[in-house]
Amino acid sequence: MEIGMIGLGRMGSNMARRLMDGSHRVVVYDPIKEATEALVAQGATGSVSITNLVEKLAPPRAIWLMVPSGEPTESTIDTVAAELSQGDVVIDGGNSNYKDSVRRASALLEKGINFLDAGTSGGIWGLKEGYCLMVGGDIEAFHRMEPIFRTLAPSLQDGYGHVGPSGAGHFVKMVHNGIEYGLMQAYAEGFELMQAKREFNLDLPQIAEIWRYGSVVRSWLLDLAAAALKEDPKLESIQPYVEDSGEGRWTVQESIDLAVPAPVMALSLQARFRSRQEQPYGAKLLAALRQQFGGHRVKKAE
């Protein structure tokens, strides 16, 4: 089977490599010429533009997008759609908002083009371990693309599936990432608590390794925590600054819209916001208020 891949960042490139290893013909394009050339050197068919990529695919075509969410995805889909024909399929494997995916599916369907929103998890390990794929959209289009999903997934049976209509794939991935925020925050808080118990002089890399086997809190995230602690036990090379890519915010907003409590995910998102503040204004006001009503001492700014 053949597929076009647009967007050759680290994850997109690794997905293309996994597909090629699975004997699929992959036609690739990225605005960064060197990214395309790197995959061509490994067996992909290169293209110099989206139009050129579409020309190199036999109809009915399948094109997978791995570009940043928002305007980059919007403009890329508009450009691709202008080149495609009835019966073609567009797959968005990025982290788009599910509401955008519902709208895009409807707009493309008017042109006879199927749209699948494929929530994708696996990060930099996907090339070796496979990708978890949560796919929304037309079920017939899903079955037609299933050889692609099977190749990308961890196995021919596990780690991928059709989860519902258009938008469902990115919705499920959004919730997945909200859960991820909570799990990561719990590990971070637990290890910080142990690190603070100075009199025990706890060996955190050792504890992470112990927990990896038999413990009810063992997980792949714990495996990664163990690897990070082994490399840098005191984490001296890392600043306490944590970004968020958007899905956590969308998950919390959805919980508000549906009146479904999600306190762990909400607080883990807030913790990321706090990590980015060098001089949090709110904390300063708290100190000022304690001084005003109780005469409590404050630490003066230097």
Side-chain angles (χ1 to χ4, degrees):
M1 188 170 183
E2 66 175 17
I3 189 165
M5 290 283 300
I6 298 176
L8 304 177
R10 190 168 187 179
M11 193 163 178
S13 295
N14 282 345
M15 294 177 80
R17 292 187 183 98
R18 190 170 175 90
L19 289 169
M20 288 188 289
D21 289 344
S23 299
H24 297 281
R25 177 176 180 259
V26 183
V27 183
V28 297
Y29 169 71
D30 192 278
I32 299 175
K33 183 180 178 182
E34 291 76 12
T36 301
E37 291 174 344
L39 280 171
V40 170
Q42 297 179 54
T45 300
S47 50
V48 296
S49 67
I50 289 176
T51 299
N52 186 232
L53 178 142
V54 172
E55 290 172 346
K56 293 183 177 183
L57 294 169
R61 307 170 188 86
I63 297 181
W64 191 301
L65 308 181
M66 287 300 292
V67 298
S69 62
E71 195 283 329
T73 296
E74 189 78 16
S75 60
T76 302
I77 288 177
D78 287 345
T79 302
V80 169
E83 303 291 337
L84 297 182
S85 306
Q86 185 170 346
D88 293 342
V89 178
V90 173
I91 306 169
D92 179 9
N95 285 322
S96 293
N97 189 298
Y98 80 93
K99 295 177 182 178
D100 289 334
S101 297
V102 172
R103 172 179 54 80
R104 290 164 183 157
S106 179
L108 289 174
L109 189 58
E110 292 179 1
K111 302 179 180 181
I113 301 168
N114 282 306
F115 178 84
L116 297 174
D117 50 292
T120 305
S121 182
I124 62 175
W125 295 89
L127 176 60
K128 178 183 177 182
E129 304 291 341
Y131 296 90
C132 176
L133 301 167
M134 302 143 263
V135 186
D138 179 76
I139 188 65
E140 291 184 6
F142 168 81
H143 285 313
R144 191 175 126 206
M145 294 294 102
E146 200 161 4
I148 297 292
F149 300 137
R150 282 180 177 149
T151 301
L152 290 171
S155 77
L156 297 178
Q157 297 81 30
D158 302 317
Y160 80 97
H162 181 263
V163 298
S166 295
H170 281 149
F171 180 84
V172 172
K173 176 56 164 51
M174 176 192 76
V175 176
H176 163 284
N177 281 28
I179 294 170
E180 177 186 292
Y181 279 36
L183 291 171
M184 293 171 68
Q185 185 66 28
Y187 282 127
E189 291 176 8
F191 277 90
E192 182 172 16
L193 187 60
M194 290 188 290
Q195 188 268 344
K197 194 66 173 174
R198 305 292 187 185
E199 62 265 37
F200 285 167
N201 193 29
L202 298 173
D203 186 335
L204 299 189
Q206 178 205 26
I207 292 168
E209 284 295 330
I210 292 171
W211 285 0
R212 289 181 62 209
Y213 302 95
S215 167
V216 296
V217 300
R218 67 187 184 275
S219 71
W220 186 52
L221 281 174
L222 181 61
D223 294 343
L224 298 178
L229 290 168
K230 182 178 180 181
E231 180 179 324
D232 185 0
K234 295 183 179 180
L235 301 180
E236 294 174 324
S237 63
I238 300 174
Q239 291 292 323
Y241 186 102
V242 188
E243 282 286 6
D244 71 285
S245 55
E247 295 89 340
R249 301 185 190 209
W250 300 338
T251 305
V252 172
Q253 184 59 56
E254 197 70 26
S255 77
I256 295 169
D257 293 343
L258 296 175
V260 174
V264 171
M265 290 187 276
L267 289 173
S268 65
L269 176 64
Q270 296 292 331
R272 295 191 179 201
F273 295 159
R274 178 64 81 188
S275 77
R276 302 171 207 163
Q277 296 180 301
E278 293 184 6
Q279 294 288 330
Y281 185 84
K284 291 183 178 183
L285 184 57
L286 285 173
L289 286 170
R290 289 185 78 248
Q291 183 186 45
Q292 288 292 323
F293 71 69
H296 299 289
R297 184 173 63 87
V298 297
K299 289 187 176 182
K300 294 293 185 180
E302 296 180 358

